[in-house]
Amino acid sequence: MAKCLNILEIVFGAWVLLSVPLLGCASAALAVDLMAGALIVVLAGASTGMKEYNPGCDWALVFVGCAFAVWGIADAAASLGGAPVNEIIFGLLVALVAFGATRFTTVYDGASFYDRGGAPMVDVKSLRMKDDTILMKALLLQSMPSTVYVRPDEVWKVLTMIPFDLVKQLPAFLVKGYKDCRAQQKEAQK
């Protein structure tokens, strides 16, 4: 997931890098600053994906994104005639995506799904893609190793079953899951 977010950072940076010469800018100094910042985003995003994941580059991108957003807000407040909306949007997008990438630094080696009584029903060991099918290695009912084949049409059917009420609750649900995993990690480190 962190790799996907790093690719998104590169796309944002490339967009700004190309949009300045193509669409123009209010001043040459602003154009140079925007292009330099976008180049930093592209290079940092690319270097993050080249080696073992190091969240340092993403934290640097969070700082660069925040700097762009603050610069855009200051530019708007001072009415310097730049493109503050673009700077604010670009800065916030880069900062949020880079911050999101730092949240995926831990890769877990499995997940379990339980019944109402707390008994494990499915222990998922791995997920991978093969020939347009998701292969899920799992242990069913704690005794039956299995490979579950998930076809694209079945995923689409499941997506159509998701009510909007569930979609509204997903962000808070994911934040709770993140906090619970962090608490479990801290507990294990003691």
Side-chain angles (χ1 to χ4, degrees), residues 87-160:
E87 294 165 21
I88 294 168
I89 291 171
F90 173 68
L92 291 176
L93 285 175
V94 168
L96 288 173
V97 170
F99 180 73
T102 64
R103 305 296 92 194
F104 292 102
T105 57
T106 302
V107 177
Y108 298 95
D109 54 343
S112 297
F113 301 96
Y114 304 92
D115 68 4
R116 186 181 303 185
M121 299 297 287
V122 178
D123 295 318
V124 177
K125 301 299 179 193
S126 69
L127 293 167
R128 67 184 179 94
M129 185 71 93
K130 181 179 179 186
D131 300 330
D132 293 334
T133 302
I134 297 173
L135 300 181
M136 179 175 67
K137 298 281 187 181
L139 184 64
L140 306 176
L141 301 173
Q142 291 189 316
S143 63
M144 296 181 289
S146 181
T147 301
V148 179
Y149 293 84
V150 184
R151 296 188 326 253
D153 57 323
E154 298 302 325
V155 172
W156 184 256
K157 289 175 190 175
V158 169
L159 281 176
T160 63

Side-chain angles (χ1 to χ4, degrees), residues 19-132:
S19 70
V20 170
L22 293 176
L23 302 176
C25 200
S27 70
L30 179 62
V32 169
D33 291 340
L34 276 174
M35 290 182 70
L39 188 59
I40 290 169
V41 170
V42 169
L43 294 176
S47 70
T48 301
M50 296 294 184
K51 58 185 183 311
E52 187 72 28
Y53 181 72
N54 177 2
C57 283
D58 281 320
W59 283 113
L61 286 175
V62 169
F63 175 77
V64 168
C66 290
F68 261 104
V70 168
W71 183 11
I73 292 168
D75 190 15
S79 299
L80 298 176
V85 174
N86 287 339
E87 294 165 21
I88 294 168
I89 291 171
F90 173 68
L92 291 176
L93 285 175
V94 168
L96 288 173
V97 170
F99 180 73
T102 64
R103 305 296 92 194
F104 292 102
T105 57
T106 302
V107 177
Y108 298 95
D109 54 343
S112 297
F113 301 96
Y114 304 92
D115 68 4
R116 186 181 303 185
M121 299 297 287
V122 178
D123 295 318
V124 177
K125 301 299 179 193
S126 69
L127 293 167
R128 67 184 179 94
M129 185 71 93
K130 181 179 179 186
D131 300 330
D132 293 334

